[in-house]
Amino acid sequence: MAPQRPLLGQSGQMRAISRAATRRAAQSCPKCTVAASPARPTLLARKTMPSSRYESTSKDARLELQNALNQLNKHLPNAMNLSRLQLALQGLQKPAGQEIIRIAVLGLGDTTIVARKLLRAILSDPLTDEQPWETQLDGYDPNVPLVVRVGPTGSYGSTLEFARHNPVEELHISSPQFNNLNLEFLVLNVNAVASPSQAGADSAVEEAILVPSVDIASAQDRVSPMTTPVHQAIVVGENFGGAVQLANLPIEHLSQSIIGAVDMPKITTDQLHGHFKVVDVTQAQEAVRLFRQGPQNAVQYEKLWFASNLPAITTWLRQSSASPDRQTKPAMKHLLTSLVESANASVKEQEAELEAMIDAPKMSDAVTAAMEAGLSDWSRAAHAELQSEMDKAFAGRRWRKLGWWKLFWRVDDVGMLTNDILSQRFLPTSENNLIHLAGRIAEQRGSVPLYSQPVSETSQSSKEPTDRALAPLAPKSLPRWPGHIGFTRRYLKDETIPALQALAQRLVVQSLGTSTISATLAGLLYVSSFSTTFYEVGAVAALGIVYGLGRMQKKWEAAREYWEGEVREEGRKAVRGTEQSVIKALSSDAEIPEHLAADISAAKELVEKASDALSKMK
């Protein structure tokens, strides 16, 4: 049985540790010094063993909750945080009590080194000598996110292993006191989290902390953020600056999922009166070091260890990650509860907005006519802006940088330059003016009308309309204005630019390949035949090079012309779709789509089903 860390006030355990350390010094066998009688754990296991009927009911409840969350995400995609939902669904697929709990150790500002030392002190075992992973943890790059997986030796392949080819470094360790809890720690830096003042501040802060973003390096020496959802988080600060940052975070009501820790030597939690733990990592490390030197330091170890206040962190970890009687772990259950509550709040919000739209008064004919005139002016200005801005963009310096003969040194800049063109030139003024027009309409109407929104063609079934500009959509909050321009911009960035980038890279490789083959063939011809002159060999090489470059020029210029035409046409579709959406909302006989009320009603039933399944799940 793995040795455990001593607890405060339990002198019997301290005496047991002292005796164990004495036996270890005499016998030189650290793995066999502490042994517990197996009789009591076996008896407890028999008493708390669930029946087959109980276990079957728990499995049915987990499956019912999993199906309800999946169906709820289909009806209202933005009702729950997608990253946290995926983490919850992964946990539900495992048996109760065997869920992997992910915990983020977040260093505020530049306190990753302190966060790393805190994690090392928590996971270190004082009954064993210093392990290789402890030195490795101290030496890793603090600017690179690190995942620490805790498990018995062999469960992850080896006690110490780094995944060199992964975008995030991984460290696999064995810690006897935490091996049976299935824990994973994510260590990284974060900026100070904003403290919202509006309603729902707790949920907003919880979501911001529990879904941290990890920067992943791309092939173009750039970084792209990737969300990494976790069940719990330890937010670590240092000295008074970290205490001030943690004091500004409203986490006092989030103790089940978030705990704050500030490394401040010679200061106690009672002296600061904050909703965070004041710890002394240096004292904790010194306590472990002294105990490893011999059993004579057991009393000093206990004094330093509890003075460091790290037992408060370890107790919090155990209480949320332990699973008595094969029940769902508390951290997992809190995540599920948070998702169901978020979905319930979203459904209530949409239901209230739908009722407000139904009860909203109709606009008079004069006001409707004025709004239609404003829409007509907006449409003319939008078409004019599209034509003038696209002409400037495709005659500008950025677009000229992508000439076919410049691809050899600018092939990796295709995505960046085309993204800049869309971000700065694709109807930015018209989009801002549309928001202003939608605000005027809402003011005259007394409520926000329902605008039809664009939907990706891949998400539509065969029975739904295929016009991307006219299909309705029901997001988390009813749309305040038509989103056709932003949707089209994202579509062009996500769908067309990667294809253009891939084509450029493929053409460069093909051109270089053709040139290399022709030059190699010319060289072989010159070596194998004494009658072949240098001019004949040069002609063969030049023919291959000219052919490769000519094919590259033809295909790339055709692709550029096609992309230019596609951007212009998609812009015209976005303007027309926006105009039709506003006209439909302004018409006196505009009706709320039946599917919207049906989706809200179905989502409400699914939330009730998920709540019922969660209450039955053990």
Side-chain angles (χ1 to χ4, degrees), residues 517-539:
I517 291 175
S518 61
T520 303
L521 180 61
L524 293 175
L525 184 63
Y526 181 77
V527 172
S528 61
S529 176
F530 294 101
S531 61
T532 304
T533 64
F534 178 77
Y535 297 101
E536 293 173 341
V537 171

Side-chain angles (χ1 to χ4, degrees), residues 481-517:
W481 58 83
H484 299 74
I485 296 177
F487 176 86
T488 303
R489 187 185 296 114
R490 290 191 298 271
Y491 161 74
L492 292 171
K493 287 183 176 182
D494 297 340
E495 301 294 336
T496 64
I497 289 181
L500 193 66
Q501 174 82 57
L503 176 63
Q505 294 173 340
R506 186 167 63 252
L507 290 177
V508 169
V509 171
Q510 290 177 352
S511 178
L512 292 176
T514 303
S515 302
T516 302
I517 291 175

Side-chain angles (χ1 to χ4, degrees), residues 371-381 437 579:
M371 295 296 102
E372 289 178 349
L375 175 62
S376 179
D377 295 339
W378 176 87
S379 179
R380 285 195 297 269
L437 177 63
E579 187 177 5

Side-chain angles (χ1 to χ4, degrees), residues 5 9 57 125 140 145 160 172 177 291 325 331 376 416 450 456 486 556 586:
R5 193 185 302 276
T57 303
D125 182 16
Y140 100 101
L160 178 63
H172 300 161
Q177 57 181 332
F291 193 83
D325 304 335
S376 179
M416 180 190 68
L450 178 65
S456 175
W556 179 244
L586 289 175

